Amino acid sequence: MAGIQDNHEDILDPRRKGSDIRFALQTLRGVPEYKYINQQTPKEVKEQVLKSQRLRHVIEQLSSEKGLEEDVIYKEADAILEEMGHNLNMTTLRSLATIFANIFRQLFRHIYVNQSGIQKMRALMKESPVVLLPTHRSYLDFLLMSYILFHYHLPLPFIAAGADFMQMKFVGEILRRCGGFFIRRSFGSDRLYWAVFTEYVQINLTNSEGPLEFFVEGTRSRTGKFLSPKLGLLSVVAEPFLKGAVPDVTLVPISISYERIVEEKLHAQEMLGIPKPKESTSGLLKARSIFQEDFGSIVVHFCDPISLRDQMKSIDRSRHNLIPRFIFSATPEEQRLIGSVAQDVQQVQRDHMIMSPWVLCAACLLQRPDSYTLRELTSQVAWLKDMIRQYGIQVDWPVGTGAQDIIHSAFKIHHSLVKQHKDGEITFSRSLHSPNASVDTSTREGVLTHAAVHMDIAMYRNYLAASLAVQGLVSLSFCGLDKCSQDELYEQYQFLVKLFTEEFTSNPSHSKQKFDRTVSLLVACGALDHDREEVRVTAKGEREIAFFTDMMSPFLLGYWLVCQYLMAHPSSPQGVPIKQTAKDIQMRIATIISQGKLHHYEILSLNLLTNALTALTHMGILVREKSDNGPLISWSAESVSRVADKISEFIQVPTDMTSFSQPGEVALTAKL
Amino acid sequence: MASNRRIDNILGHLSTPPDQNKDGTCIHSQVNKLEKKNCSELSDNMGKESGVNGRGPRIPKRRQDLLKWNGWGFRDCKFVLDPVKELVSFEGDRYQLRGPLPYFNTWLETIEGVNLHANREAQPDIQADKIPKPIINDGFLEDIKRSGISLTLDPHDRLFRAHGHTLHDLFTLREGIFERIPDIVIWPDCHDEVVRIVNMCVKHNVCIIPYGGGTNVTRAVECPANESRMIVSLDTSQMNRILWVDDKNLTANIEAGIFGVDLEEKLSKYGLCSGHEPDSCEFSSLGGWVATRASGMKKNVYGNIEDIVVHIRMVTPQGVIEKNCQVPRMSTGPDLHHIILGSEGTLGVVTEVTLRVRPLPPCRKYGSVVFPNFEQGVHFVREVARQRCAPASIRLMDNVQFRFGMSLKPPSESIWTSLVDSLKKVYVTKLKGFNPETMVVTTLLFEGTKEEVAAQEKRVYSVATRFGGLASGEDNGQRGYMMTFAIAYIRDFAMDHYIIAESFETTVPWDRVLDVCRNVKERITKECAANGVPYAPIIMSRVTQTYDAGACIYFYFAYMYKGIPNPVEVYEKIETAARDEIISNGGSLSHHHGIGKHRKPFMKGTVSDVGMMALRAVKDRLDPDNIFGNQNLM
C-alpha cells in the first residue's frame, strides 16, 4: 500500500526552504488559459450584469408588479452587485501569499497535493470553463485552494462565499481582492437578487479568466459527514451549458482531508446549540492562540474532472430553444439530473477523503468510551486500518512507523480530546476548554459540557462513517442476525436509506446498484457469504459487521429517541416550531444521560435530532408547514410509533424511557 | 417585339429538340464554347455567346459525357497535383480559377496528417455488367414506349441519376456500387408529357423519383433499397424553356427543368434576371429549388425561392395542383405553395413555375472588409441586418476560411501577407490589433444602379468602420465568392488523398451565432477524437446569409482519415453529432439543403408529432399509392 507521500507532494516543503517573498513575487509561468477566454475588468463585468437582458426582463416584471420606477430597482440591483462583486487583485494576492505561506507553515506540518490531479485540471482549463468543488470543513478551505492554485501557477479562482464574511472588516475586503464574491445565505424567491446573482456568476463562468469555486455543501459541514448538496449554484452553472453559451463545463471535485480542523471547538459547540459567534475580525484575532497549536497535515486531492456535457447527455437541450436564453428555465428532468450530478460529485469527494490515524482512533474510542487501554486501542486500530483498506478507504498510515507511535502522534495533535493515563488507560477529556477539569455528569449542564468532547470526536469518526455508510447500513440490515434472505436484507436496507437521507447523503437513483456492489464487496472481502437465497455473516465477518453496526447504531438510536419523544408529546394541531422541538428532545436526552440510563452523548447533536425530524417529514410522518416564525411541524403518535417499532427491529433499544413521558419544564439555556 | 416572342415560345413548344445522344461530340464542342467564370458573371458572358448557340440544353441527356460521373462538376475541371513540382493547380478554363496555385499546398498542409503522396484512387469506372439490372414492369414499359416519350434503360444513365453529392454517395461511386438504382430514365419534354407519365405510373404502380440537377446533399434522389417496384427517374432537364415573359407584370413562366445559369442567360435576352443564385446554380434546376426551398446568395435583393415564385404547377397522382391566378399574394386559406415548396418530390413533380423577375442591374460590384476577429465581424453583420442595409450578398468568413480563400491566389499575386502589406499602405495606424491568426473577412456583392451601389457602399462601409473593420478591396471580395465554386471541386481532390471534406448549414437566432460556431467546432473536434479519427479536423464557418431575426451559418470541415477502416460510418456519426449540437444550440435542421433521407431522423423533433401527422396526411391523400416513393422527409 503506497503512502500519501508517494502520489502527493508537500507544497509546504519548498516554503520551509525558500523565501516567502520570492514565492509571492514569482513570475507565474505557463498559466493555462481558456481558449475562448474573455478578459474583463471587475467593473466591466458589473456593467455587463446591469445591461443584461436577464436583469432588464426581471426589472420590467417587478416594476409592473410593484408599481416601482425601473430606476429605483436598477439602483437596488446596483447595490446588490456592489455587495456581491469580487475585485480580484494580483497585488493584494501576492502580499497575502507571503502571509499565508507563513500561516500555513505555522499551523500545519504538511500540505499534500496530488500532482496528477493538478495536471489533468491544468490541461482542461484550456478547453472549457472549470468549476472547483471542494469539500467544506473549514474556513481555511478557500484560502487553501487559492494558495494551491497560486503555487501551481494556475489561474486564481472566483469564489462564492457566504455574505456573512462580508461583515468582517478588512477580511471581507481582502476576500474580495482574492476573488471572493458574496452570496446571501437565503434569498429564496427574491427575483432581483437571483437575476443579479445568476448573471454575475454566469458572466464570470463564460469569461473563464479563472475557475469558479464553490462548495456543493453550501456551508461548512460541522459534523464530518457530507451535507445534502445545495443545487442553486450548480443550476446557475449548468444553465449556460444547457443553453449553448459554453461548449462544456468541467467540474473538479476536490477532497480536502484535515488531520485536525482549526475550528473544531466551535463546531462541537454549534452542534449542541451554542450559537456560533458572528464572524468578526476581533474574533479572528482572538483565534490567534491557535498559532501555538499543531494541526497536523492536510491532504488535498484533486479528483478526476467531470464533464458536465457527459453528465447531461440524456437531456434534450433544444427544449430551451423556444424561450430567450435570459429567462431562467430548467425542466424537472434537468433539475433531477443536476441533483444527481451533485450527489455524484459528493461521491467522488467521499471516495477520495484520506483517513488519518486519529479518525480510526475516534471510531474505536466512541464505541467504547473511557474503557480502552493504549494496547487494546492499538491493536483495534491496526485491525481497523487493514479492514477498511479492503473497502478502498485510504488511510494516511505512515510506512515504517510503529502503530503505537502513530497513535501517540495522533493523540498529541488531539490532546484536548483524549487523555492517556499512566496505567495505559485512555479517557475522554471532561471538557473541551479545560481538559483537566472535572465535570459532574449527573447534571444536565455537566452532560452538555462533556458532550462537546463527544461531538468533536464523533466529527472525526464521521469521516469514516460517511465513507463506510453503505457497509454500515447493510450491516445494520441484518438486525443482529447472522443470516438473512437477499430480499429481506434489501428491504431493510431501503428503509434505512430512506430514514437516513439527511444523515448520509447518496444518490437515490443508484441505491440498488450501490447495495448490490457493497454486498458483493463484503462477500469478496470474506465478511459475508451468499448463495442465491441467503446472505450469511461469516466467522471472519462477525467482527467487521459488529464494528459497522456499532458505528451506525447511535444514529439509529437517536432517531428512535426522537420517535419516543414525539409519541409521548403529541403536537398541538397548529404545530410546533421544528427548532424548538429539537431543542426539547435534546434536553430530555441530556436528562436521561444524566440519570445514567444512556451513554451515547453524541445523540445530543442538534444536527442529528433535526435531521431525524426532517427525515420523518420527508417520510410523511410529520407534517411541515411554513409560518412567520419558521417551519412548524405536527404529528400523530400513531404513525410515529410505527417508525419507532421499525427502528427497534434493527437495534437493541433501552426499555426504561420513563423520563420521556414525564411532564415537566425544560431549561433552554445550558451553560457550557 | 412582344408578339415575336410569343411566336418563339409557341414554336419552342412545337419543335422537338434534337436528340443529342446521337451526336455527343457536337454537344461537347458547343458547350465548350460557353466560357464560364463564376455564376454571377456567367449570365453576362453567356448572354453574348448564346446568341450563336441558343438551341438545346447546355447539359446533354448523357450527362456523364460532360460531367464527372463520380464527382462534382465538369469533367475537364479539376484540382490536380503536378507530379514534378508537386504543386496543386486547377485544370480547365471554365472558371476564373485556373492554373497553378502556389500557395495552396501550404494551406492544405495545415490539415493535420495531410500527405499528398498518399493516394486513395477511385475506381476508374463501373462496368455495365456490375450495375444493377433494371426491374421491369412490362405493362408500363410497353405503354411508355408506345407514347414516344424519350427514355433509356442504359445502365450508366441510370447510375448517374442514382445519387446526389453527399459524402456517402461519393464514397459509393468511388469505391463501390449502389444497391438500388433507377430502372429507367425518362425525359419528358413538357408538362403534358409529365401528366401522361404520372398517369401511366399510377396505372401500373410504378415508382417515380423526380430528378433535376442531381446536386442534392440529402440523399434525396437515392432509391430506397426496399423499393421493389420499377423506379422511374423522371429527368426534367429537357423542360428548360421560358414559356413566356410578361414585362408589364415582370413575371416569367418557365419550365421547371431549367438550370440556374441557363435561366439567367435566357432571361438576360429580355434584359431581366431572376436573381436566384444558389452556389449550385450551374447544375441545379428551378424545380429542384422549389422542391427543396432553396436559397440564393443574393436573396437580400431578390428574395429566396419562396419569395420569388408567383405560381407553381405540380403534377400529382391525383392530378395537377395549381392556383387560378398569378398574383403576388392571396388570402385563401393556407398557401398551397407552401405544401409544394420543400416537398422534396414526395407529392408530385413540379413542371412549370411563374417567377417574378427583375430588370438586370446595370451595376455589380464586389467588396470586402476585414475585421480583427470573428466576434467583431458577427457584430458587424448583425448591425447591417438590424439596419436592413445589407447589399445583395454579405458573407462573413472565419479566419480559417479566410486563409483558405487566400491560398487560392494565382502565382502573380503574393500570398496574403501582401494583403496586410497593401492594407498597411492605406491604413498606416489602424492596422494594429489585426492578427493574421484571428482576422476575418466579410465579402460583399452590391447590385443596382451606379447611384444605388454607391449609396449602399457608403452606408455599409461606414457601419464597418464603427465595428473596427477596414475595407480591403474588390478582389478579396470576388475571391471569396469564387471560393464557394472551387470548394465543391476540391472535395474530389481531397478524397484522392484520404481527406474527408463535407459541408452543412443551419439557421440560428442572432444571439446564438457565435455560440453555435464555437460549440459545433468543439463538438466536431471531440467527436473526431472519440471516434478514433487519428488527426484533428479542420473546421471553418461562414455567416452566409443574414435575416432580421437570425443568420444562416455554413460549416465546412475536413480531416485526414487514413487508418480508419470505416470512414463513411465514422463520418456519419460525426455529422450526426454536429447536427445534434446545432439543434441543441437553437439552430435549425436545415436552412436550404433540405431533409431528404439524410436528415430524416431529426425531422420529428423539428416539426413535432402532430406536424408529422399533418405532412403524412397530405402525402397519403395526394399520393395514396406512394408513386412518388423517394421516401424523403417522413
Side-chain angles (χ1 to χ4, degrees):
Chain A
M1 178 64 68
I4 294 301
Q5 291 86 343
D6 293 342
N7 37 27
H8 294 72
E9 75 172 338
D10 180 5
I11 61 166
L12 280 186
D13 196 42
R15 297 283 64 72
R16 297 197 202 283
K17 292 168 187 157
S19 139
D20 289 344
I21 305 231
R22 196 171 306 143
F23 169 66
L25 296 179
Q26 66 185 314
T27 317
L28 301 180
R29 285 177 216 284
V31 179
E33 193 173 88
Y34 175 45
K35 60 173 136 173
Y36 302 108
I37 189 173
N38 183 28
Q39 279 163 332
Q40 284 186 312
T41 63
K43 191 164 163 258
E44 285 168 338
V45 170
K46 286 178 189 174
E47 277 165 13
Q48 204 186 324
V49 173
L50 290 176
K51 278 195 306 202
S52 68
Q53 286 175 296
R54 184 187 302 271
L55 191 61
R56 190 173 38 187
H57 175 70
V58 167
I59 287 178
E60 278 162 8
Q61 277 185 341
L62 291 174
S63 159
S64 74
E65 284 169 27
K66 297 187 178 169
L68 288 169
E69 290 290 325
E70 288 188 10
D71 285 356
V72 177
I73 311 178
Y74 264 110
K75 280 203 183 107
E76 204 184 317
D78 199 17
I80 293 173
L81 205 48
E82 276 310 307
E83 173 194 294
M84 185 181 300
H86 79 79
N87 196 6
L88 183 61
N89 175 305
M90 273 317 280
T91 318
T92 317
L93 253 159
R94 284 182 189 279
S95 37
L96 285 173
T98 331
I99 299 170
F100 283 118
N102 197 359
I103 292 178
F104 286 138
R105 210 170 43 210
Q106 287 197 35
L107 291 179
F108 300 106
R109 297 181 187 181
H110 308 283
I111 298 176
Y112 293 113
V113 178
N114 66 325
Q115 266 178 298
S116 59
I118 295 279
Q119 294 317 333
K120 284 179 197 163
M121 182 173 77
R122 178 186 291 276
L124 284 169
M125 278 180 163
K126 297 173 190 159
E127 299 298 319
S128 81
V130 168
V131 179
L132 307 178
L133 301 169
T135 54
H136 201 11
R137 302 287 175 270
S138 167
Y139 281 145
L140 285 182
D141 291 330
F142 47 79
L143 300 177
L144 187 63
M145 288 304 301
S146 296
Y147 181 83
I148 294 171
L149 266 59
F150 184 75
H151 176 92
Y152 284 106
H153 296 196
L154 292 166
L156 293 165
F158 304 106
I159 311 151
D164 31 8
F165 283 110
M166 222 171 41
Q167 320 299 335
M168 302 163 83
K169 276 181 206 158
F170 306 120
V171 175
E173 190 49 36
I174 286 172
L175 269 179
R176 255 186 230 284
R177 293 189 182 205
C178 291
F181 61 91
F182 298 103
I183 302 168
R184 293 180 193 163
R185 284 271 176 234
S186 53
F187 51 89
S189 56
D190 183 341
R191 274 178 287 164
L192 185 66
Y193 195 89
W194 256 112
V196 173
F197 159 73
T198 303
E199 200 63 28
Y200 184 76
V201 172
Q202 292 183 351
I203 291 172
N204 276 307
L205 181 79
T206 49
N207 282 354
S208 202
E209 293 181 71
L212 175 70
E213 174 183 323
F214 66 87
F215 302 101
V216 177
E217 292 169 278
T219 181
R220 284 173 301 151
S221 160
R222 278 84 158 162
T223 63
K225 290 177 297 165
F226 282 78
L227 298 172
S228 285
K230 303 283 176 294
L231 305 182
L233 256 163
L234 204 56
S235 311
V236 168
V237 164
E239 195 189 24
F241 168 71
L242 291 171
K243 299 186 179 177
V246 291
D248 194 357
V249 176
T250 300
L251 308 176
V252 183
I254 298 160
S255 308
I256 308 177
S257 310
Y258 291 94
E259 198 166 1
R260 182 179 167 196
I261 304 271
V262 172
E263 58 268 57
E264 57 179 4
K265 285 180 189 167
L266 289 175
H267 288 177
Q269 289 173 348
E270 270 183 56
M271 285 307 97
L272 291 169
I274 302 155
K276 93 170 169 182
K278 259 206 160 158
E279 276 75 4
S280 70
T281 309
S282 62
L284 195 81
L285 294 176
K286 272 181 213 151
R288 280 186 55 183
S289 61
I290 61 169
F291 286 118
Q292 273 99 59
E293 300 267 332
D294 175 0
F295 288 92
S297 300
I298 310 173
V299 185
V300 183
H301 189 94
F302 287 79
C303 308
D304 280 354
I306 296 171
S307 148
L308 189 67
R309 173 186 283 278
D310 287 352
Q311 298 296 310
M312 296 259 162
K313 251 185 207 156
S314 61
I315 296 291
D316 174 8
R317 289 185 287 158
S318 73
R319 275 184 231 163
H320 297 290
N321 294 350
L322 294 182
I323 52 164
R325 296 196 284 179
F326 56 82
I327 298 176
F328 184 84
S329 57
T331 63
E333 190 194 349
E334 283 163 359
Q335 274 161 337
R336 260 198 311 280
L337 197 55
I338 287 166
S340 172
V341 170
Q343 291 284 4
D344 292 346
V345 165
Q346 280 198 340
Q347 184 60 47
V348 173
Q349 289 174 338
R350 215 173 359 242
D351 289 345
H352 293 89
M353 292 303 284
I354 309 286
M355 303 300 152
S356 68
W358 168 249
V359 166
L360 309 195
C361 293
C364 297
L365 289 170
L366 265 184
Q367 292 188 5
R368 278 166 52 196
D370 300 339
S371 63
Y372 265 109
T373 63
L374 183 63
R375 245 186 39 183
E376 287 167 342
L377 182 68
T378 309
S379 96
Q380 176 76 353
V381 166
W383 168 80
L384 182 59
K385 172 205 58 164
D386 293 335
M387 189 271 277
I388 61 179
R389 277 183 170 170
Q390 302 177 94
Y391 298 104
I393 309 283
Q394 299 183 66
V395 184
D396 181 11
W397 194 267
V399 186
T401 314
Q404 223 167 66
D405 292 342
I406 290 170
I407 289 173
H408 262 303
S409 161
F411 278 14
K412 230 173 108 192
I413 292 169
H414 296 278
H415 59 89
S416 57
L417 300 179
V418 282
K419 272 202 307 211
Q420 189 195 328
H421 300 272
K422 289 215 174 73
D423 56 1
E425 206 184 322
I426 294 159
T427 58
F428 287 14
S429 302
R430 299 289 97 186
S431 150
L432 264 190
H433 294 279
S434 36
N436 296 316
S438 67
V439 170
D440 178 6
T441 50
S442 67
T443 67
R444 214 155 52 191
E445 286 73 20
V447 165
L448 287 170
T449 303
H450 182 53
V453 177
H454 283 255
M455 289 298 120
D456 214 344
I457 297 176
M459 176 178 80
Y460 291 104
R461 186 274 323 270
N462 284 348
Y463 281 106
L464 194 63
S467 291
L468 287 169
V470 186
Q471 281 85 344
L473 300 186
V474 170
S475 302
L476 275 178
S477 300
F478 277 96
C479 300
L481 304 171
D482 59 0
K483 60 184 180 189
C484 189
S485 82
Q486 285 261 22
D487 293 345
E488 256 177 290
L489 192 68
Y490 183 59
E491 203 187 306
Q492 296 294 69
Y493 172 80
Q494 265 186 311
F495 169 77
L496 292 177
V497 168
K498 227 164 88 187
L499 191 68
F500 283 151
T501 42
E502 292 297 306
E503 212 67 52
F504 298 101
T505 67
S506 69
N507 195 337
S509 51
H510 300 162
S511 175
K512 172 73 174 146
Q513 200 187 331
K514 240 184 208 164
F515 171 80
D516 289 340
R517 230 183 16 222
T518 306
V519 170
S520 325
L521 199 58
L522 285 160
V523 169
C525 295
L528 299 180
D529 190 7
H530 72 159
D531 52 36
R532 205 172 300 150
E533 295 292 303
E534 215 174 49
V535 188
R536 288 175 300 275
V537 180
T538 63
K540 171 189 179 279
E542 267 175 44
R543 190 174 175 191
E544 287 181 25
I545 300 297
F547 178 86
F548 291 141
T549 309
D550 283 353
M551 181 170 71
M552 304 303 272
S553 55
F555 295 98
L556 212 42
L557 183 61
Y559 279 48
W560 183 79
L561 287 166
V562 168
C563 291
Q564 296 304 310
Y565 172 90
L566 297 177
M567 284 151 65
H569 303 81
S571 68
S572 55
Q574 67 269 29
V576 287
I578 188 163
K579 269 191 170 170
Q580 176 73 54
T581 311
K583 196 83 198 167
D584 281 356
I585 302 173
Q586 186 194 38
M587 288 306 139
R588 298 283 173 172
I589 295 174
T591 306
I592 302 171
I593 294 176
S594 70
Q595 291 162 352
K597 294 175 188 164
L598 192 72
H599 306 284
H600 297 82
Y601 282 79
E602 59 172 296
I603 298 173
L604 292 167
S605 162
L606 283 176
N607 174 270
L608 185 148
L609 301 172
T610 314
N611 281 348
L613 293 172
T614 311
L616 291 171
T617 311
H618 288 329
M619 293 166 78
I621 308 292
L622 305 185
V623 180
R624 182 182 162 122
E625 268 169 83
K626 281 183 183 164
S627 82
D628 295 341
N629 308 318
L632 299 177
I633 47 171
S634 55
W635 61 89
S636 78
E638 197 194 344
S639 49
V640 175
S641 76
R642 278 203 301 274
V643 178
D645 289 348
K646 182 78 188 165
I647 293 176
S648 64
E649 291 176 15
F650 293 89
I651 50 164
Q652 201 75 49
V653 291
T655 43
D656 179 15
M657 280 294 115
T658 42
S659 43
F660 259 172
S661 43
Q662 274 168 11
E665 96 303 338
V666 165
L668 290 180
T669 48
K671 282 200 179 123
L672 296 169
Chain B
M1 182 67 196
S3 63
N4 280 347
R5 267 185 215 164
R6 212 162 27 241
I7 289 163
D8 280 347
N9 284 333
I10 294 164
L11 282 176
H13 259 309
L14 295 177
S15 69
T16 324
D19 193 348
Q20 290 90 350
N21 274 342
K22 289 173 193 154
D23 194 355
T25 49
C26 156
I27 307 295
H28 222 93
S29 59
Q30 174 196 347
V31 174
N32 267 347
K33 283 185 191 161
L34 303 177
E35 189 201 347
K36 285 165 206 73
K37 303 286 187 182
N38 76 39
C39 200
S40 301
E41 301 194 336
L42 223 46
S43 48
D44 284 358
N45 296 327
M46 291 188 47
K48 287 171 221 149
E49 296 193 24
S50 52
V52 189
N53 295 304
R55 299 248 173 269
R58 192 173 43 98
I59 310 275
K61 283 184 180 171
R62 268 187 84 81
R63 297 192 191 193
Q64 57 272 33
D65 290 344
L66 182 65
L67 305 179
K68 290 195 193 80
W69 71 275
N70 66 348
W72 181 261
F74 295 102
R75 294 179 71 139
D76 54 11
C77 290
K78 55 178 176 267
F79 283 87
V80 290
L81 184 65
D82 182 320
V84 183
K85 293 185 196 151
E86 299 196 335
L87 280 183
V88 179
S89 60
F90 190 73
E91 218 173 69
D93 55 1
R94 294 171 186 272
Y95 299 93
Q96 219 179 27
L97 184 75
R98 69 182 80 183
L101 303 166
Y103 307 108
F104 190 52
N105 286 60
T106 318
W107 185 84
L108 271 177
E109 277 152 21
T110 62
I111 303 176
E112 205 178 289
V114 157
N115 175 5
L116 295 183
H117 298 297
N119 289 323
R120 176 87 173 188
E121 298 290 347
Q123 52 189 342
D125 54 32
I126 299 179
Q127 298 299 321
D129 59 343
K130 296 265 166 48
I131 297 173
K133 302 275 169 296
I135 296 173
I136 299 296
N137 180 317
D138 294 329
F140 173 75
L141 192 61
E142 205 172 299
D143 278 3
I144 193 81
K145 276 186 171 162
R146 200 179 306 132
S147 74
I149 299 170
S150 176
L151 62 87
T152 185
L153 295 168
D154 177 275
H156 287 102
D157 282 327
R158 293 188 291 113
L159 177 64
F160 194 94
R161 286 155 186 84
H163 63 88
H165 286 271
T166 64
L167 193 83
H168 172 270
D169 298 332
L170 292 180
F171 254 96
T172 308
L173 288 168
R174 292 170 63 95
E175 305 189 0
I177 182 73
F178 295 101
E179 210 179 309
R180 188 80 175 85
I181 69 167
D183 302 307
I184 183 170
V185 180
I186 303 180
W187 288 277
D189 191 47
C190 62
H191 170 82
D192 290 343
E193 284 193 356
V194 174
V195 173
R196 285 163 63 201
I197 295 167
V198 172
N199 284 340
M200 281 182 256
C201 288
V202 172
K203 180 179 158 202
H204 295 286
N205 194 22
V206 165
C207 173
I208 303 175
I209 297 183
Y211 185 81
T215 57
N216 75 82
V217 284
T218 59
R219 299 171 75 165
V221 300
E222 185 178 304
C223 299
N226 61 2
E227 181 55 79
S228 57
R229 298 174 295 179
M230 185 174 185
I231 299 175
V232 172
S233 179
L234 191 81
D235 185 324
T236 57
S237 63
Q238 305 310 301
M239 299 166 49
N240 68 340
R241 285 153 295 207
I242 294 182
L243 298 176
W244 48 255
V245 171
D246 179 341
D247 52 10
K248 280 224 169 96
N249 292 313
L250 282 178
T251 50
N253 187 231
I254 305 145
E255 287 183 314
I258 196 166
F259 285 6
V261 280
D262 299 332
L263 172 65
E264 294 302 5
E265 179 220 328
K266 289 181 179 172
L267 283 174
S268 72
K269 285 189 230 160
Y270 301 89
L272 297 170
C273 67
S274 77
H276 187 73
E277 229 173 80
D279 287 354
S280 61
C281 67
E282 285 172 281
F283 307 109
S284 60
S285 70
L286 172 57
W289 301 338
V290 170
T292 57
R293 291 183 68 89
S295 170
M297 155 184 129
K298 299 190 292 191
K299 71 94 195 158
N300 295 333
V301 170
Y302 300 95
N304 284 319
I305 193 69
E306 68 273 20
D307 308 310
I308 301 176
V309 292
V310 174
H311 185 267
I312 305 171
R313 212 170 191 197
M314 180 168 79
V315 181
T316 78
Q318 301 289 353
V320 175
I321 183 169
E322 63 182 323
K323 295 179 185 176
N324 76 337
C325 54
Q326 315 215 57
V327 293
R329 184 178 195 277
M330 54 207 277
S331 173
T332 50
D335 191 340
L336 284 180
H337 283 175
H338 287 283
I339 292 177
I340 299 167
L341 285 156
S343 60
E344 301 193 358
T346 57
L347 304 176
V349 53
V350 177
T351 54
E352 291 171 7
V353 179
T354 303
L355 295 181
R356 71 176 195 206
V357 290
R358 300 291 306 159
L360 275 171
C363 179
R364 166 183 299 146
K365 201 169 169 190
Y366 290 100
S368 68
V369 185
V370 290
F371 292 89
N373 56 53
F374 191 60
E375 196 176 340
Q376 267 170 274
V378 169
H379 292 324
F380 163 67
V381 290
R382 202 277 164 268
E383 182 60 25
V384 167
R386 194 198 311 274
Q387 294 191 17
R388 291 198 172 166
C389 62
S393 168
I394 176 167
R395 287 173 168 180
L396 170 68
M397 298 182 192
D398 72 359
N399 180 261
V400 183
Q401 196 164 134
F402 178 36
R403 288 152 161 272
F404 168 63
M406 288 295 159
S407 76
L408 295 175
K409 277 191 168 187
S412 53
E413 300 172 50
S414 64
I415 187 68
W416 75 299
T417 42
S418 76
L419 164 75
V420 178
D421 290 341
S422 68
L423 286 174
K424 268 183 192 157
K425 283 178 202 150
V426 191
Y427 312 100
V428 183
T429 52
K430 290 185 189 161
L431 212 59
K432 270 187 270 171
F434 277 77
N435 175 351
E437 303 287 324
T438 59
M439 68 193 281
V440 300
V441 67
T442 306
T443 60
L444 305 161
L445 173 62
F446 301 91
E447 276 192 12
T449 63
K450 248 190 171 152
E451 296 73 28
E452 281 166 354
V453 166
Q456 281 178 38
E457 282 184 306
K458 195 177 161 205
R459 188 155 174 204
V460 170
Y461 288 125
S462 88
V463 176
T465 311
R466 272 215 288 133
F467 286 84
L470 300 177
S472 50
E474 290 182 50
D475 284 358
N476 289 313
Q478 192 171 7
R479 186 173 299 107
Y481 291 98
M482 178 195 71
M483 188 204 74
T484 55
F485 291 91
I487 210 161
Y489 281 97
I490 286 177
R491 180 159 77 178
D492 296 324
F493 177 78
M495 289 178 81
D496 289 339
H497 300 281
Y498 288 99
I499 299 166
I500 276 177
E502 185 59 294
S503 63
F504 52 94
E505 43 76 33
T506 186
T507 3
V508 288
W510 276 115
D511 72 312
R512 290 179 181 256
V513 168
L514 283 166
D515 291 334
V516 166
C517 291
R518 179 195 57 227
N519 292 354
V520 168
K521 285 183 187 183
E522 287 295 306
R523 180 77 183 266
I524 291 176
T525 308
K526 274 213 176 110
E527 292 290 334
C528 281
N531 283 288
V533 177
Y535 305 102
I538 187 160
I539 308 154
M540 39 188 160
S541 52
R542 177 173 84 218
V543 178
T544 199
Q545 287 288 13
T546 64
Y547 294 86
D548 285 356
C552 168
I553 302 174
Y554 210 99
F555 292 95
Y556 292 106
F557 85 111
Y559 57 84
M560 172 79 173
Y561 72 86
K562 198 171 180 205
I564 306 177
N566 50 346
V568 177
E569 205 178 300
V570 165
Y571 165 75
E572 278 172 0
K573 262 190 181 166
I574 295 166
E575 195 196 305
T576 302
R579 183 58 61 185
D580 171 73
E581 189 65 23
I582 286 173
I583 291 171
S584 300
N585 280 271
S588 67
L589 183 49
S590 172
H591 168 262
H592 59 271
H593 281 172
I595 305 302
K597 289 177 271 293
H598 195 50
R599 281 178 267 279
K600 220 158 67 162
F602 288 101
M603 197 48 190
K604 200 164 96 171
T606 301
V607 302
S608 81
D609 288 353
V610 179
M612 286 304 275
M613 265 166 58
L615 295 180
R616 172 55 65 190
V618 172
K619 163 76 181 170
D620 288 348
R621 196 70 198 209
L622 289 188
D623 185 14
D625 299 323
N626 194 29
I627 297 302
F628 288 89
N630 59 19
Q631 297 185 19
N632 290 340
L633 292 176
M634 287 163 275

